[in-house]
Amino acid sequence: QQQVKQSPQSLIVQKGGISIINCAYENTAFDYFPWYQQFPGKGPALLIAIRPDVSEKKEGRFTISFNKSAKQFSLHIMDSQPGDSATYFCAASKKMLPDGQAGTALIFGKGTTLSVSS
Amino acid sequence: DGGITQSPKYLFRKEGQNVTLSCEQNLNHDAMYWYRQDPGQGLRLIYYSQIVNDFQKGDIAEGYSVSREKKESFPLTVTSAQKNPTAFYLCASSSHRTPLTQYFGPGTRLTVL
């Protein structure tokens, strides 16, 4: 119930194409769904995030689609560029302490390695 | 320059030795975390700390220990009890105002020889 399942494991997309990465979860207590981008040898960086009361969120070329009833969410990268080549992780949060306390645990998917060919 | 620093970037250890990984943040964040990353495994939580002098075990705490004597520092010790310590270790932090947003350091790659 604490898992977040991510697919595909790897993805190759032509420059200008759309990259789509999918995640699914079981625990309905999860209340925050971020996506992180990681370049080789670096720490992950927050890319975009969504709450379950919203079905879609867009920031530039990056869009999260969220389906609460199916317990699935996905990242769409429009007009994919070679600079987008990285590993992408979806995650879901669970609260560790009551409201007002700092910090929350993130449960990560296993990651998707995206390669955008020029 | 605000951020999270981890040192060293690369660390080599002989079997049976304890080793301590450093994590420092100057973001004035309340919470700090340690994750382990293995190829194809995502990130798994080792320990986390909400406030100074307090910390809790994550999902894979066995063979690790931490301390939180200062708000800005959260060192991780990989003990000889950790059976498979070779991995990429990531430290993160979050603030009380935005607890859901975790900021990550650049990581330490530990290799056991």
Side-chain angles (χ1 to χ4, degrees), chain B residues 2 6 9 12 19 23 31 40 44 51 58 66 76 80 84 92 100:
Chain B
Q6 291 186 242
K9 187 172 177 66
F12 297 89
V19 64
C23 177
R44 292 179 290 168
I51 56 173
V66 293
L76 173 74
S80 56
N84 186 19
L100 297 175

Side-chain angles (χ1 to χ4, degrees), chain A residues 8 10 13 24 31 34 42 45 52 69 79 85-86 91 96 104 108 111 113 116:
Chain A
S10 62
V13 174
D31 58 1
K42 306 292 184 184
S69 60
D79 187 27
S85 298
M96 295 185 292
T104 184
F108 284 86
T113 301
V116 181

Side-chain angles (χ1 to χ4, degrees), chain B residues 8 17 20-21 26-28 32 39 41 44 48-49 54 59 63 78 80 83 87 92 99 110:
Chain B
Q17 288 181 337
T20 298
L21 282 59
N26 61 4
L27 301 167
N28 199 32
M32 297 186 74
Q41 292 297 316
R44 292 179 290 168
Y48 60 93
S49 169
D54 188 47
D59 299 319
V78 184
S80 56
K83 302 214 181 305
L110 172 64

Side-chain angles (χ1 to χ4, degrees), chain B residues 25-54:
Chain B
Q25 53 98 1
N26 61 4
L27 301 167
N28 199 32
H29 283 175
D30 306 280
M32 297 186 74
Y33 314 80
W34 274 105
Y35 291 90
R36 170 181 171 140
Q37 184 176 16
D38 296 283
Q41 292 297 316
L43 283 72
R44 292 179 290 168
L45 184 65
I46 304 172
Y47 267 98
Y48 60 93
S49 169
Q50 305 286 344
I51 56 173
V52 174
N53 293 322
D54 188 47

Side-chain angles (χ1 to χ4, degrees), chain B residues 4 16 22 26 34 58 63 82 86-87 89 91 105 107 110-111:
Chain B
I4 302 174
S22 169
N26 61 4
W34 274 105
Q82 168 49 234
T86 295
Y89 290 88
C91 179
L110 172 64
T111 302

Side-chain angles (χ1 to χ4, degrees), chain A residues 9 31-32 34 36 38 41-46 51 87 89 93-97 100-111, chain B residues 9 30-31 33 35 37 40-45 48 50-51 56 59 88 90 94-96 99-107 109:
Chain A
Q9 187 174 3
D31 58 1
Y32 176 75
Y36 281 80
Q38 184 180 31
K42 306 292 184 184
L46 179 65
R51 292 235 185 224
T87 300
F89 294 95
S93 76
K94 61 175 182 177
K95 291 181 181 178
M96 295 185 292
L97 290 175
Q101 299 293 322
T104 184
L106 288 176
I107 310 299
F108 284 86
K110 293 189 175 183
Chain B
K9 187 172 177 66
D30 306 280
Y33 314 80
Y35 291 90
Q37 184 176 16
Q41 292 297 316
L43 283 72
R44 292 179 290 168
L45 184 65
Y48 60 93
Q50 305 286 344
I51 56 173
Q56 286 80 39
D59 299 319
F88 190 47
L90 288 157
S94 63
S95 78
H96 177 79
L100 297 175
T101 303
Q102 293 188 15
Y103 296 88
F104 283 83
R109 185 165 299 281

Side-chain angles (χ1 to χ4, degrees), chain A:
Chain A
Q1 257 216 335
Q2 298 289 32
Q3 282 187 333
V4 176
K5 295 183 179 179
Q6 183 172 347
S7 64
Q9 187 174 3
S10 62
L11 182 61
I12 299 174
V13 174
Q14 294 270 8
K15 179 181 176 181
I18 302 173
S19 304
I20 302 174
I21 304 170
N22 301 299
C23 285
Y25 64 97
E26 289 294 325
N27 190 342
T28 55
F30 289 149
D31 58 1
Y32 176 75
F33 301 88
W35 284 89
Y36 281 80
Q37 179 188 55
Q38 184 180 31
F39 293 104
K42 306 292 184 184
L46 179 65
L47 189 62
I48 187 172
I50 198 168
R51 292 235 185 224
D53 54 347
V54 177
S55 61
E56 185 175 284
K57 183 174 181 181
K58 184 176 180 179
E59 290 184 3
R61 296 185 293 110
F62 301 90
T63 300
I64 300 179
S65 297
F66 188 84
N67 186 329
K68 188 173 181 178
S69 60
K71 291 185 280 187
Q72 295 175 347
F73 59 110
S74 59
L75 175 69
H76 295 234
I77 306 174
M78 311 300 287
D79 187 27
S80 299
Q81 299 296 313
D84 297 330
S85 298
T87 300
Y88 293 82
F89 294 95
C90 62
S93 76
K94 61 175 182 177
K95 291 181 181 178
M96 295 185 292
L97 290 175
D99 286 340
Q101 299 293 322
T104 184
L106 288 176
I107 310 299
F108 284 86
K110 293 189 175 183
T112 296
T113 301
L114 171 65
S115 296
V116 181
S117 60
S118 53

